[in-house]
Amino acid sequence: WTSNVDGCFERAGFDRARVYTSQGEMDKLQCPSCESTWNCVEQLEAISANSAPGGVLKDMSLAPACPHCGNTTILPNLRGGDWFNHKPYEPTQQRLLEWLDDSVERKLKVAVVEVGVGGNTPVVTHIPAMAWASAVAAAGGHATYIRINPDLGAAHNGRGSNRDGRALQTTTEGLTRFDWAAGWRALGPVAGAVVELRNKAASRATEAGEPGLSRREGELGADGEIAGDATAKAHYQQRYTSILHSLRTPR
C-alpha cells in the first residue's frame, strides 16, 4: 500500500498484484474521452529517442494518442483531481479492503510500518491505515503502528523520538504507536526483526497446526469472545472504508 508512483516496490521484488498504488503509476497514460488506460513505457522511450535537444519531437507520428479512440488529449494516469482513472488499481484495492476487514473481524495481532509518509496527501495512506489499526484494537485484536520519518520531529514540534534516539511510544484506546524520527537506515533492523518474528510465528503455527497470525490474549466477553468496543470498531471500520472508496475516481 503506497502513495509512490514510481514502481519501486515492483523493482524491489514485490508482486505487482499485491501492491496497492493509491496515486496511480508513472508507466501509464489515460484517455479522458474513452477512459482507457495503457502502459506507455515503450511509447515514451520512442519519443525520447526521436527528440532533439530541448525536448522537440522530430517525428510527430510518435506524439502520444489514445490507442483505442485516437484522442490526442491524454493525461498521465496519476492522481491530480477527480479526473484520475482509478480503475486499474481497484481490484488490488478491493482485495486490500477484504483483508483489512477480515483482520478486524478475526481480532488479529497486526503491525503497520509506515515509512516516509508526509503531510501532503495523508488521506491516501496514513489516515485510513491509522483508522484500520484502531479498528483492529477496538475489535479486541492487538495493533501496533510504527511511523518512521526523519521529519516527524519538526512536524510534531519535537515529538518524534526520545532524546536517546529511540522511538516515542504512546498507547491510546488499545493502539500502541511508535513515532520514530529516523531515516531510511532505520528500516534495516526493523525489517530484520519483523522477518525473525514472522519466521518464529510461522514455525510455531506449523507445529500447532494453526494460522500464523495470533489473536490477542485478553479478557473474554460473556459469549467467550475477546472483549472489544463494538461502537468504536464500527466507527473506525466505516472511516477507513469510506476513505478508500472515495479514492475511486472519476465519480
Side-chain angles (χ1 to χ4, degrees):
W1 184 357
T2 179
S3 60
N4 289 350
V5 298
D6 53 11
C8 278
F9 280 92
E10 185 180 0
R11 294 199 302 276
F14 286 82
D15 182 354
R16 186 186 187 108
R18 294 174 62 86
V19 179
Y20 172 47
T21 50
S22 57
Q23 300 279 62
E25 295 176 345
M26 293 177 66
D27 63 358
K28 292 185 179 65
L29 293 174
Q30 68 176 68
C31 176
S33 179
C34 68
E35 297 187 353
S36 61
T37 62
W38 63 95
N39 187 288
C40 63
V41 173
E42 292 185 3
Q43 192 175 16
L44 296 182
E45 288 176 344
I47 289 173
S48 178
N50 288 274
S51 295
V56 178
L57 183 60
K58 295 182 291 185
D59 182 356
M60 293 307 295
S61 68
L62 297 174
C66 176
H68 301 280
C69 71
N71 179 32
T72 56
T73 305
I74 58 176
L75 299 167
N77 188 219
L78 301 174
R79 189 179 300 280
D82 283 348
W83 48 263
F84 167 64
N85 190 343
H86 180 270
K87 290 179 182 178
Y89 317 102
E90 194 164 318
T92 305
Q93 188 208 55
Q94 184 58 39
R95 289 196 299 274
L96 171 64
L97 269 167
E98 291 171 359
W99 181 83
L100 297 179
D101 287 342
D102 181 66
S103 64
V104 172
E105 297 304 323
R106 292 171 60 197
K107 305 178 177 65
L108 295 182
K109 181 184 292 185
V110 301
V112 180
V113 180
E114 177 195 295
V115 182
V117 175
N120 291 332
T121 55
V123 72
V124 300
T125 49
H126 173 68
I127 295 176
M130 277 288 291
W132 167 66
S134 298
V136 172
H142 181 80
T144 301
Y145 200 102
I146 305 169
R147 298 189 74 193
I148 302 174
N149 193 323
D151 297 329
L152 278 178
H156 298 290
N157 297 318
R159 180 187 181 278
S161 289
N162 293 319
R163 291 183 178 180
D164 59 4
R166 294 180 301 168
L168 183 65
Q169 178 179 349
T170 57
T171 301
T172 306
E173 296 181 341
L175 173 63
T176 302
R177 174 171 167 173
F178 294 89
D179 289 329
W180 194 1
W184 292 104
R185 291 184 178 180
L187 282 176
V190 171
V194 168
V195 170
E196 183 178 355
L197 287 171
R198 286 182 62 88
N199 288 341
K200 288 181 178 178
S203 178
R204 290 195 301 268
T206 300
E207 293 174 0
E210 298 175 351
L213 290 173
S214 60
R215 287 158 55 117
R216 176 183 179 181
E217 294 180 359
E219 296 182 0
L220 298 180
D223 58 357
E225 287 293 308
I226 297 174
D229 185 335
T231 300
K233 167 198 164 187
H235 166 75
Y236 287 119
Q237 201 163 19
Q238 192 277 333
R239 182 170 174 78
Y240 72 71
T241 300
S242 62
I243 291 174
L244 288 175
H245 281 170
S246 74
L247 300 179
R248 296 180 178 181
T249 53
R251 300 184 185 89

